[in-house]
Amino acid sequence: MSMLLIKCLAIASCALPCLSYNASAQDSFPEISFEGLVDVRAVQGSGQSNWLDRGLGKTRYGTASDGSRSSIQFSEASLIANVRFSWDLTAMAHIKFDPEQKNAVDLVEAYIKYDPVSTSPWRIHAKAGMFFPPISLEHSDVAWTSPYSLTPSAINTWVGEEIKATGLEVTFERRMEDLTLSLTGAAFMLNDPTGTLLAWRGWALHDIKATALGRFALPDINSIKSTGIFNKQAPWIEPHHEIDNRVGYYVAGNWEMKEAFTLSALYYNNRGNPIGFDGNQYSWGTNFFNLGLITLLPGDVELLAQYMKGNTIMGPRINEVYVLDMDFSSYYILLSKMIGEQRLSLRYDNFKTDDLSLIVEDNNNEAGHAWMASLSRSFDGGFRLMMEMQYVDSDRASRLDFNIPTHAKETQLQFSFRYSF
């Protein structure tokens, strides 16, 4: 994986002087094009100890080390290289600069895609590499960002953290006059820690994306301290990691009615061996269902909705109960409308975890909800301004490990200046 990252960085650095070159004007393959974004923000943090600093705050920006809440933050800079080898075969690599992560420059996605031109109603698509499964309805903009908000829902925050697949995905599609049906299947590896953040930190709402060599801090809870039941766990998680050499899978279906709605469903199972351990991280057995809906309401109001429900297990079984066994669920409803050049969006989130195992030693119960309101305006030349207000109300049992109340209310205000090309 590190060699792949080095190669992608080398390609990007050599090609940067050619960003203004119109690759589509070439007479022969390969064709190379670039896109990307730069995002800078003014932030009023939530006031809670941030999860990136081993706290249990739910948002991206909390209280700084000096106690301040207001700051100017460089959110990210992303560069995506797209290469077309033929009419049927393409490749992409997404490299991101993010000063908050372990490696400031790292790889987000990289894959080869086979997408042959079809003269019949049947089509086939396939891709191999590292990519996000077709779960998020929000991330339809450049560099896996959302046109609706700066902060995605709790569901798609977690997808960005722990659910990325490294493997092979194949889609069969049937197109009719007003209806398109598709069926997708994938086999993947390099994601055995999936479930670690959700269990020991809980749900969160932020827009940080996991990278190939990245690492996230875990909260400083009692169960993973030197005296805790899981004291062998490192104080961090590296999501792209293989521990048990098992192949996971997901299957998905999509039903799209032209100018009416799109329904999607997906089942995911990483087939993690719950007793696997590599000296730093445990292997988790995580599975879930995800349902999604996109439709247009009267008044040209877009509606997006998702529901996810699943379970994760880790450790041996003692008296027919896994050492860690947790159900989780979440849903959101998002409304968005274009008003002239402005986009106004409103979202409600609800999330929950149910700990079914050793609650006294490691209580991971949580319940909460969140509201998000955003207003954005795009300008000529690829510039966009966005303002977002976020409110999160949550109750998490493990906050007692920090000698703070289990119930917390957080607000976060962000102003984003974004340039994309």
Side-chain angles (χ1 to χ4, degrees):
M1 185 66 70
S2 59
M3 183 57 65
L4 175 61
L5 175 60
I6 292 171
K7 289 181 179 178
C8 291
L9 288 173
I11 292 171
S13 62
C14 293
L16 279 173
C18 305
L19 282 175
S20 61
Y21 178 65
N22 184 1
S24 62
Q26 292 181 196
D27 295 328
S28 61
F29 298 111
E31 296 177 357
I32 304 175
S33 62
F34 296 89
E35 57 183 331
L37 68 82
V38 177
D39 191 342
V40 179
R41 301 180 189 176
V43 177
Q44 179 76 7
S46 67
Q48 295 290 319
S49 177
N50 189 270
W51 69 272
L52 291 168
D53 296 323
R54 304 202 68 195
L56 285 171
K58 294 296 182 186
T59 62
R60 177 169 182 173
Y61 301 108
T63 302
S65 56
D66 61 1
S68 63
R69 294 179 59 188
S70 301
S71 60
I72 303 295
Q73 299 285 341
F74 189 95
S75 174
E76 75 170 271
S78 281
L79 177 66
I80 300 98
N82 299 292
V83 182
R84 179 172 290 278
F85 298 104
S86 68
W87 294 116
D88 298 338
L89 191 64
T90 59
M92 73 86 74
H94 173 187
I95 299 169
K96 183 182 71 164
F97 172 76
D98 182 347
E100 292 177 288
Q101 297 207 3
K102 174 192 173 187
N103 301 297
V105 179
D106 208 339
L107 188 67
V108 178
E109 291 186 278
Y111 57 82
I112 296 174
K113 186 174 182 179
Y114 176 65
D115 191 8
V117 176
S118 174
T119 58
S120 75
W122 291 96
R123 298 188 67 181
I124 184 173
H125 318 275
K127 60 183 177 181
M130 180 172 63
F131 46 82
F132 293 103
I135 297 175
S136 176
L137 306 181
E138 300 173 277
H139 291 86
S140 57
D141 220 338
V142 61
W144 211 72
T145 59
S146 169
Y148 307 103
S149 63
L150 298 172
T151 304
S153 62
I155 289 175
N156 295 318
T157 292
W158 187 49
V159 171
E161 294 172 332
E162 292 195 301
I163 309 300
K164 201 185 305 171
T166 302
L168 174 66
E169 177 190 278
V170 180
T171 299
F172 296 94
E173 184 177 89
R174 167 76 175 180
R175 292 188 175 185
M176 291 159 270
E177 184 175 356
D178 295 316
L179 173 65
T180 300
L181 300 174
S182 64
L183 179 65
T184 298
F188 57 85
M189 297 182 73
L190 291 174
N191 69 340
D192 289 329
T194 297
T196 308
L197 277 173
L198 197 57
W200 285 331
R201 183 214 53 200
W203 294 99
L205 294 108
H206 64 81
D207 60 325
I208 298 176
K209 299 176 278 285
T211 55
L213 307 178
R215 176 183 292 183
F216 291 127
L218 290 174
D220 191 24
I221 56 177
N222 292 341
S223 60
I224 61 174
K225 291 182 178 179
S226 60
T227 57
I229 185 175
F230 302 113
N231 58 71
K232 294 182 180 179
Q233 169 69 42
W236 42 259
I237 167 184
E238 293 179 346
H240 291 290
H241 201 76
E242 185 60 39
I243 299 172
D244 59 15
N245 295 316
R246 291 185 177 183
V247 177
Y249 69 93
Y250 60 80
V251 292
N254 205 67
W255 177 20
E256 180 180 353
M257 287 292 296
K258 187 177 180 180
E259 298 181 358
F261 62 82
T262 299
L263 288 172
S264 58
L266 179 143
Y267 175 73
Y268 170 103
N269 192 329
N270 76 339
R271 297 186 64 246
N273 181 356
I275 60 172
F277 184 68
D278 70 352
N280 288 310
Q281 299 187 95
Y282 295 96
S283 175
W284 297 64
T286 300
N287 69 90
F288 60 81
F289 287 97
N290 180 82
L291 302 174
L293 168 67
I294 302 176
T295 191
L296 194 64
L297 301 177
D300 292 329
V301 176
E302 292 181 72
L303 182 148
L304 282 69
Q306 281 184 251
Y307 172 75
M308 178 183 285
K309 183 176 179 61
N311 173 267
T312 186
I313 55 175
M314 187 271 287
R317 298 185 70 175
I318 301 176
N319 297 326
E320 302 302 316
V321 177
Y322 284 99
V323 173
L324 200 156
D325 186 348
M326 189 186 77
D327 290 339
F328 55 87
S329 61
S330 181
Y331 68 85
Y332 74 85
I333 299 173
L334 185 151
L335 300 174
S336 185
K337 179 176 175 60
M338 293 296 300
I339 306 172
E341 299 296 324
Q342 290 76 231
R343 178 184 287 276
L344 178 64
S345 300
L346 178 68
R347 187 185 65 229
Y348 173 76
D349 272 87
N350 190 283
F351 50 87
K352 184 178 182 182
T353 60
D354 292 311
D355 197 328
L356 309 175
S357 51
L358 305 178
I359 294 178
V360 174
E361 297 87 349
D362 181 44
N363 193 337
N364 298 302
N365 282 311
E366 175 179 273
H369 65 272
W371 289 92
M372 183 283 303
S374 70
L375 178 65
S376 67
R377 179 184 172 92
S378 297
F379 299 89
D380 293 339
F383 295 97
R384 179 186 294 173
L385 296 177
M386 183 178 289
M387 177 184 69
E388 178 188 277
M389 173 64 78
Q390 190 175 353
Y391 169 77
V392 187
D393 186 323
S394 64
D395 193 290
R396 182 162 184 84
S398 58
R399 289 193 175 114
L400 292 176
D401 293 356
F402 294 79
N403 296 314
I404 58 176
T406 62
H407 186 210
K409 297 181 179 181
E410 303 173 64
T411 58
Q412 178 182 261
L413 178 64
Q414 299 185 78
F415 294 89
S416 167
F417 175 79
R418 179 174 291 177
Y419 168 68
S420 59
F421 58 88

